[in-house]
Amino acid sequence: MGKYIYRCLDCRACETACPSGVHFGEIIEEARAIYELNNERPTEQRFWRHFAFKEILPYKDRLDLIFELMWLYQRLGIRRLVQKSGILRLMGRLGAMESMLPKIPHPSLKYTIQEFTPAKGKAKYRVGFISGCIMNQVFTETNLATIRVLTENGCDVITPHHQTCCGALHVHNGVRDMALELARTNIDVFGAEGVDAIIINSAGCGATLREYEALMEHDPAYAEKAKQFSHKMRDISEFLAEIEMKPPEGEIKRRVTYDEPCHLLHGQQIQTQPRKVLSSIPGLELVELRESEWCCGSAGIYNIMQPEMSAQILERKMKHIADTGAEIIATGNPGCILQIQLGVQKHGLPMKVMHPIDLLDCSYRG
């Protein structure tokens, strides 16, 4: 049974296609939680699942240490030596994971994110910003860009230091007890800030955060608070579309194609807003990507747990990406960015993968 419920991408495309609006994502995630409660995995799998989901992701200080070590691994040239040695080919799945590792930004960069960043000019909105766990470690520049874009649009931005992992990977992998703990922490932290909206720039995290209401529905102490939290959640592109964002003026003369993260399109029903953001940038040529609504094969940690299937899905995606002749591929989810970057490198394509908000920030900054 486990083989089949984990073979599913949990991409939610079936929800978009379903005329009855059945929430298949919630069903598959509950099925995985039931499976994990009633089946015992091999010792090695239990160790790594416990280590990742319960000892690392929930703790910011431990994540900081791991990614600082990764930065040193890259900075000191150890990575080049390891890659040249050929040892990664002997390490199986772990070696494949290393090949996906992006360039880690300087560890000090994330500490430049302040708990309070004032709006430029008169403040119109007070928003909370979820900086994320992996997002903040690997895509720190995108987080900073998101904050700059929000302040440019009249937002006081609150980035609480005590926020924690959203629990998306936990929910996707049946680790429901820890997901509930993380949800309670985030609900309490942001509930105390009195914000108009809570902003996220990661599609996969955003889908889970919006579903705190469903996740907590049987918790009498948190059900109503979770509902209020979920109703305030907004993807950054969605929020900008709602407030009629300030038009950017800086030209970006690039051919750009947009790939839709599954958990943004199918999980949150957000389709036109990222395109509106990109189309607002002067000089930018937006070209449509065939099957942009199809999964790239990242799907949380699917590319790690189901590498063969993930690689097949990515190959189909890369063919269509190559056909666009784009210089930049824009997509709004960290896992998708890493997966498509891997495909770009593998195929030797002269393309860059970016978050749409990074492009908008560049335009605002001239």
Side-chain angles (χ1 to χ4, degrees):
M1 177 185 173
K3 172 184 176 182
Y4 300 105
I5 63 171
Y6 279 102
R7 187 64 63 88
C8 172
L9 287 158
D10 195 13
C11 69
R12 309 290 187 90
C14 51
E15 294 185 13
T16 299
C18 179
S20 301
V22 176
H23 292 180
F24 289 105
E26 292 177 20
I27 294 170
I28 194 71
E29 287 160 2
E30 286 187 23
R32 289 175 179 177
I34 293 168
Y35 173 82
E36 296 301 336
L37 285 172
N38 292 279
N39 292 272
E40 186 149 330
R41 289 177 173 271
T43 303
E44 183 181 359
Q45 288 185 24
R46 290 203 310 273
F47 169 79
W48 285 113
R49 283 174 62 85
H50 178 85
F51 180 71
F53 293 128
K54 295 193 174 183
E55 299 297 335
I56 297 299
L57 286 173
Y59 299 101
K60 183 177 177 295
D61 55 344
R62 297 177 191 179
L63 275 172
D64 286 345
L65 176 60
I66 287 173
F67 279 92
E68 284 168 16
L69 291 173
M70 286 184 183
W71 178 78
L72 285 171
Y73 168 71
Q74 294 179 345
R75 181 74 173 180
L76 298 177
I78 301 170
R79 186 183 195 187
R80 288 195 300 273
L81 294 174
V82 169
Q83 290 174 335
K84 288 180 180 179
S85 71
I87 193 172
L88 294 176
R89 290 193 294 272
L90 305 175
M91 295 174 66
R93 189 171 293 176
L94 193 60
M97 287 171 59
E98 199 282 344
S99 68
M100 296 180 63
L101 188 65
K103 183 179 179 182
I104 307 299
H106 195 287
S108 66
L109 190 62
K110 57 181 171 283
Y111 299 116
T112 63
I113 296 176
Q114 303 297 312
E115 287 204 73
F116 176 77
T117 309
K120 285 189 175 181
K122 183 180 178 181
K124 303 174 185 176
Y125 312 96
R126 177 181 171 89
V127 303
F129 175 55
I130 294 184
S131 54
C133 44
I134 303 302
M135 192 75 195
N136 206 40
Q137 301 289 345
V138 178
F139 298 99
T140 321
E141 290 282 10
T142 300
N143 275 353
L144 288 165
T146 302
I147 293 169
R148 285 193 294 267
V149 164
L150 288 168
T151 59
E152 194 75 41
N153 281 277
C155 298
D156 282 342
V157 183
I158 315 298
T159 312
H161 179 72
H162 294 295
Q163 64 178 288
T164 189
C165 171
C166 70
L169 291 178
H170 300 78
V171 172
H172 298 335
N173 291 277
V175 190
R176 213 168 183 82
D177 56 341
M178 182 55 74
L180 290 167
E181 284 188 37
L182 297 170
R184 292 184 190 105
T185 298
N186 284 324
I187 289 168
D188 287 341
V189 167
F190 283 92
E193 295 294 346
V195 295
D196 303 312
I198 304 170
I199 310 299
I200 185 76
N201 57 17
S202 167
C205 299
T208 294
L209 289 158
R210 289 186 108 117
E211 290 170 359
Y212 273 6
E213 179 180 358
L215 184 67
M216 310 296 290
E217 64 180 339
H218 300 301
D219 186 330
Y222 277 85
E224 182 58 33
K225 290 191 285 186
K227 181 179 180 180
Q228 293 173 14
F229 179 97
S230 294
H231 288 191
K232 286 186 177 182
M233 278 305 311
R234 296 290 187 276
D235 179 75
I236 177 65
S237 65
E238 177 187 23
F239 179 74
L240 292 172
E242 286 179 356
I243 65 170
E244 298 183 2
M245 71 177 192
K246 174 184 173 181
E249 296 181 355
E251 280 196 332
I252 298 179
K253 294 183 178 181
R254 293 290 184 271
R255 185 178 175 90
V256 178
T257 194
Y258 173 65
D259 187 62
E260 307 190 64
C262 297
H263 282 84
L264 196 59
L265 174 63
H266 305 303
Q268 301 181 64
Q269 303 298 307
I270 294 172
Q271 183 176 30
T272 60
Q273 296 93 326
R275 288 178 169 84
K276 182 178 179 181
V277 167
L278 292 168
S279 297
S280 72
I281 299 172
L284 187 147
E285 179 190 359
L286 183 61
V287 294
E288 280 299 319
L289 172 65
R290 186 181 173 194
E291 295 182 354
S292 65
E293 74 280 10
W294 285 47
C295 185
C296 66
S298 171
I301 56 172
Y302 190 89
N303 50 3
I304 297 171
M305 306 311 296
Q306 305 281 348
E308 296 83 7
M309 185 71 76
S310 173
Q312 291 177 36
I313 296 168
L314 178 61
E315 280 303 302
R316 184 181 182 114
K317 176 71 69 177
M318 294 313 301
K319 179 183 183 303
H320 296 320
I321 285 175
D323 289 344
T324 65
E327 297 165 89
I328 297 171
I329 307 147
T331 189
N333 188 60
C336 301
I337 292 172
L338 295 178
Q339 177 83 340
I340 295 171
Q341 274 182 348
L342 187 67
V344 166
Q345 291 166 8
K346 181 180 176 182
H347 289 269
L349 298 175
M351 297 175 173
K352 186 172 184 177
V353 190
M354 297 179 69
H355 196 292
I357 220 67
D358 285 317
L359 287 162
L360 179 60
D361 177 56
C362 286
S363 182
Y364 277 142
R365 297 168 75 189

